[in-house]
Amino acid sequence: MTTGVRRRMGVEERRQQLIGVALELFSRRSPDEVSIDEIASRAGISRPLVYHYFPGKLSLYEAALRRAAEDLASRFEEPQKGPLGSRLRRVMARFFDFVDEHGPGFAALMRGGPAVGSSATNALIDSVRQAAYDQMLAHMGVADPAPARLELVVRSWISLVESTALIWLDGRRVPREELEVQLVQDFAALAAVAAARDEELAALLRGLIGNEPGDGPFTDLATRLISLAAR
Amino acid sequence: MTTGVRRRMGVEERRQQLIGVALELFSRRSPDEVSIDEIASRAGISRPLVYHYFPGKLSLYEAALRRAAEDLASRFEEPQKGPLGSRLRRVMARFFDFVDEHGPGFAALMRGGPAVGSSATNALIDSVRQAAYDQMLAHMGVADPAPARLELVVRSWISLVESTALIWLDGRRVPREELEVQLVQDFAALAAVAAARDEELAALLRGLIGNEPGDGPFTDLATRLISLAAR
């Protein structure tokens, strides 16, 4: 949004405006393809002035990433009540909203590339993963540190969610609503595979699934698998 | 291995030696923590001479990565005969051998960091993922391009394998043999979840699982899950 009107902004207000402009551009093209000139022009200020607020493209990129990371982490927050399957389903919907809104920026970030891969960037991505992990443990009623096999299931499922979103972005050939449900069911499936050789995990899973309603994603999966096996 | 004896090597021989020394060091410490001085000293040559063969640390790093990538891709090669579960089980064993041998180097590469994230590095990682994907399709008897939902299952499972290996490396708190079987079973579980809403995938899966022996990983999973559900 070029403002047209040149008015005096405070430092923090201007920084926030530039971050907003950057995120808006990154949502349609990879950050590598967006120049400081373009950001300056969209913000209605000169290129040197952008450098006054951010010493380089990387620092603006990192600030934009920080805001996006906070936004993403906030979407994992979900009240701890009701069936687990429905909670995860709502979180997945908000996660795919985020991926949809940030498209190319999200893809560039997760795939790495010339403008990313800095220690600050990696630390930020890790902090979002950790926020997702902490939320999952809280929803399962498990204290940190979790048992090793449970930690592995939760963390590897989070990476499955990331990669599924990335593959979805590349062509969007499967409806996202379908993937949102599928990922919730994937969690149950991966947990079941691990629980099949871990009594502690099996007991935890039984407790969680015991509260599932007949129309939830876990029951839906069980019904579908039984019908699949019967054919 | 410091040779002690200074003998004249050909250019290619020297380059291969330096790559070998680098990979050996990267297998115990992150590439960021390994200096050119150390590589030179191990190879029994001077630091300037290393730069004669590789213009900078990044170029040596990329050459080492290229050799490791070829090594890794070769471990996916598995004769297309016998039950699918047993084939995948053998591939997983060789994959964990690789992860075990290359420890910190593998972790640094997959997590990204100051020395990685270049376009060449990313392209190399993508080529290994693609080799794994091609092998999987071949073993399933599916032509490329695969149906969208099958592609998603296979590619997202490959990322699950990567992340599981990374989490395993961080403390090795679960025996790797257990994870090798679990990942094969995870593939079946993820495929089943997707097949539960895709008739084409269900038919393919039925054909693949129909050939499984009673002592294979897929039958093992089914038996365990049935016993889990019965309790």
Short mmCIF file of all heavy atoms in Angstrom, two decimals, chain A residues 2 11 21 58 65-66 82 84 89 93 97 112 115 126 141-142 152 164 167 189-190 199 218 220 231:
data_model
loop_
_atom_site.label_atom_id
_atom_site.label_comp_id
_atom_site.label_asym_id
_atom_site.label_seq_id
_atom_site.Cartn_x
_atom_site.Cartn_y
_atom_site.Cartn_z
N THR A 2 0.97 1.92 -1.13
CA THR A 2 1.67 3.19 -1.17
C THR A 2 0.74 4.23 -0.55
O THR A 2 -0.42 4.32 -0.92
CB THR A 2 2.01 3.58 -2.63
OG1 THR A 2 2.58 2.44 -3.27
CG2 THR A 2 2.99 4.73 -2.68
N VAL A 11 9.81 6.18 15.11
CA VAL A 11 10.74 5.12 14.70
C VAL A 11 10.07 3.74 14.74
O VAL A 11 10.12 2.97 13.78
CB VAL A 11 12.00 5.12 15.61
CG1 VAL A 11 12.86 3.90 15.32
CG2 VAL A 11 12.81 6.39 15.40
N VAL A 21 5.03 -4.26 5.24
CA VAL A 21 5.20 -4.22 3.78
C VAL A 21 6.03 -5.42 3.32
O VAL A 21 5.69 -6.09 2.34
CB VAL A 21 5.89 -2.90 3.36
CG1 VAL A 21 6.36 -2.97 1.91
CG2 VAL A 21 4.95 -1.72 3.55
N LEU A 58 19.01 -8.29 5.54
CA LEU A 58 18.91 -9.41 6.48
C LEU A 58 18.23 -8.99 7.78
O LEU A 58 17.43 -9.74 8.33
CB LEU A 58 20.30 -10.00 6.76
CG LEU A 58 20.32 -11.27 7.62
CD1 LEU A 58 19.57 -12.40 6.94
CD2 LEU A 58 21.75 -11.71 7.93
N LEU A 65 10.54 -11.96 10.03
CA LEU A 65 10.44 -13.35 10.44
C LEU A 65 10.03 -13.45 11.91
O LEU A 65 9.21 -14.30 12.29
CB LEU A 65 11.79 -14.03 10.23
CG LEU A 65 11.90 -15.47 10.68
CD1 LEU A 65 10.87 -16.33 9.97
CD2 LEU A 65 13.29 -16.00 10.40
N ARG A 66 10.58 -12.54 12.74
CA ARG A 66 10.23 -12.56 14.15
C ARG A 66 8.73 -12.32 14.34
O ARG A 66 8.08 -13.01 15.11
CB ARG A 66 11.06 -11.51 14.91
CG ARG A 66 10.95 -11.62 16.43
CD ARG A 66 12.11 -10.95 17.13
NE ARG A 66 13.39 -11.53 16.75
CZ ARG A 66 14.37 -10.89 16.10
NH1 ARG A 66 14.22 -9.62 15.78
NH2 ARG A 66 15.48 -11.52 15.79
N GLY A 82 -12.31 -30.15 25.89
CA GLY A 82 -12.91 -30.85 24.76
C GLY A 82 -11.99 -31.94 24.26
O GLY A 82 -10.86 -32.07 24.73
N LEU A 84 -9.29 -34.18 22.30
CA LEU A 84 -7.98 -33.84 21.72
C LEU A 84 -8.06 -33.71 20.20
O LEU A 84 -7.47 -32.80 19.62
CB LEU A 84 -6.96 -34.91 22.11
CG LEU A 84 -5.53 -34.68 21.63
CD1 LEU A 84 -4.93 -33.43 22.27
CD2 LEU A 84 -4.65 -35.89 21.91
N ARG A 89 -7.56 -30.46 15.39
CA ARG A 89 -8.18 -30.09 14.12
C ARG A 89 -8.25 -28.56 13.99
O ARG A 89 -7.95 -28.01 12.92
CB ARG A 89 -9.59 -30.70 14.08
CG ARG A 89 -10.43 -30.37 12.86
CD ARG A 89 -9.90 -31.10 11.64
NE ARG A 89 -10.69 -30.76 10.46
CZ ARG A 89 -10.59 -29.60 9.80
NH1 ARG A 89 -9.73 -28.69 10.20
NH2 ARG A 89 -11.34 -29.37 8.74
N ALA A 93 -6.19 -26.11 11.30
CA ALA A 93 -6.87 -25.14 10.43
C ALA A 93 -6.17 -23.77 10.53
O ALA A 93 -5.92 -23.12 9.51
CB ALA A 93 -8.34 -25.02 10.81
N ASP A 97 -4.09 -21.75 7.68
CA ASP A 97 -4.38 -20.34 7.39
C ASP A 97 -3.07 -19.57 7.26
O ASP A 97 -2.87 -18.80 6.32
CB ASP A 97 -5.19 -19.69 8.54
CG ASP A 97 -6.65 -20.09 8.51
OD1 ASP A 97 -7.11 -20.62 7.48
OD2 ASP A 97 -7.34 -19.89 9.54
N GLY A 112 15.14 -23.05 3.37
CA GLY A 112 16.47 -22.45 3.44
C GLY A 112 16.78 -21.80 2.12
O GLY A 112 16.07 -21.99 1.14
N ALA A 115 19.05 -16.05 1.60
CA ALA A 115 18.74 -15.01 2.59
C ALA A 115 18.48 -15.60 3.97
O ALA A 115 18.35 -14.87 4.94
CB ALA A 115 17.53 -14.20 2.15
N ASP A 126 13.46 -22.77 15.44
CA ASP A 126 13.47 -23.75 16.53
C ASP A 126 12.53 -23.33 17.66
O ASP A 126 11.90 -24.18 18.29
CB ASP A 126 14.89 -23.95 17.08
CG ASP A 126 15.70 -24.89 16.20
OD1 ASP A 126 15.09 -25.59 15.37
OD2 ASP A 126 16.93 -24.93 16.34
N GLY A 141 -1.42 -33.55 28.56
CA GLY A 141 -1.30 -33.65 30.01
C GLY A 141 -0.01 -34.32 30.43
O GLY A 141 0.05 -35.01 31.45
N VAL A 142 1.06 -34.12 29.66
CA VAL A 142 2.36 -34.75 29.96
C VAL A 142 3.35 -33.66 30.37
O VAL A 142 3.43 -32.61 29.71
CB VAL A 142 2.90 -35.50 28.72
CG1 VAL A 142 4.31 -36.02 28.96
CG2 VAL A 142 1.97 -36.63 28.34
N LEU A 152 9.75 -38.28 20.72
CA LEU A 152 10.06 -38.58 19.32
C LEU A 152 8.81 -38.53 18.46
O LEU A 152 8.84 -37.98 17.34
CB LEU A 152 10.71 -39.97 19.25
CG LEU A 152 11.65 -40.13 18.09
CD1 LEU A 152 13.08 -40.23 18.58
CD2 LEU A 152 11.29 -41.33 17.29
N THR A 164 4.39 -31.54 5.15
CA THR A 164 3.12 -31.69 4.43
C THR A 164 2.65 -30.33 3.91
O THR A 164 2.20 -30.21 2.76
CB THR A 164 2.06 -32.33 5.35
OG1 THR A 164 2.52 -33.62 5.74
CG2 THR A 164 0.72 -32.47 4.64
N ILE A 167 4.78 -29.34 0.91
CA ILE A 167 4.42 -30.10 -0.30
C ILE A 167 3.08 -29.59 -0.83
O ILE A 167 2.88 -29.44 -2.03
CB ILE A 167 4.38 -31.62 0.00
CG1 ILE A 167 5.76 -32.10 0.44
CG2 ILE A 167 3.90 -32.39 -1.22
CD1 ILE A 167 5.76 -33.46 1.14
N ALA A 189 -2.01 -42.13 14.24
CA ALA A 189 -1.39 -43.31 13.63
C ALA A 189 0.05 -43.48 14.10
O ALA A 189 0.48 -44.58 14.47
CB ALA A 189 -1.46 -43.20 12.11
N LEU A 190 0.82 -42.39 14.10
CA LEU A 190 2.23 -42.47 14.53
C LEU A 190 2.31 -42.82 16.02
O LEU A 190 3.17 -43.60 16.44
CB LEU A 190 2.94 -41.14 14.26
CG LEU A 190 3.08 -40.73 12.79
CD1 LEU A 190 3.71 -39.35 12.66
CD2 LEU A 190 3.90 -41.76 12.02
N GLU A 199 4.46 -49.73 26.56
CA GLU A 199 3.27 -49.86 27.41
C GLU A 199 2.83 -48.52 28.00
O GLU A 199 1.64 -48.22 28.07
CB GLU A 199 3.58 -50.88 28.53
CG GLU A 199 2.37 -51.48 29.19
CD GLU A 199 1.25 -51.85 28.20
OE1 GLU A 199 1.46 -52.71 27.33
OE2 GLU A 199 0.18 -51.23 28.32
N PHE A 218 -10.46 -39.02 15.18
CA PHE A 218 -9.85 -40.30 15.52
C PHE A 218 -10.84 -41.44 15.28
O PHE A 218 -10.47 -42.48 14.72
CB PHE A 218 -9.38 -40.32 16.99
CG PHE A 218 -8.27 -39.33 17.26
CD1 PHE A 218 -8.11 -38.76 18.52
CD2 PHE A 218 -7.38 -38.96 16.26
CE1 PHE A 218 -7.09 -37.86 18.78
CE2 PHE A 218 -6.35 -38.04 16.51
CZ PHE A 218 -6.21 -37.49 17.77
N ASP A 220 -13.32 -41.30 13.24
CA ASP A 220 -13.47 -41.33 11.77
C ASP A 220 -12.38 -42.20 11.15
O ASP A 220 -12.65 -43.04 10.28
CB ASP A 220 -13.38 -39.90 11.24
CG ASP A 220 -13.29 -39.84 9.72
OD1 ASP A 220 -14.25 -40.29 9.07
OD2 ASP A 220 -12.28 -39.35 9.19
N ARG A 231 -12.69 -54.95 3.29
CA ARG A 231 -12.93 -55.18 1.86
C ARG A 231 -12.03 -56.23 1.26
O ARG A 231 -10.92 -56.46 1.74
CB ARG A 231 -12.79 -53.86 1.10
CG ARG A 231 -14.16 -53.30 0.75
CD ARG A 231 -14.04 -51.95 0.10
NE ARG A 231 -14.02 -50.89 1.12
CZ ARG A 231 -13.66 -49.65 0.83
NH1 ARG A 231 -13.27 -49.32 -0.38
NH2 ARG A 231 -13.68 -48.72 1.77
#
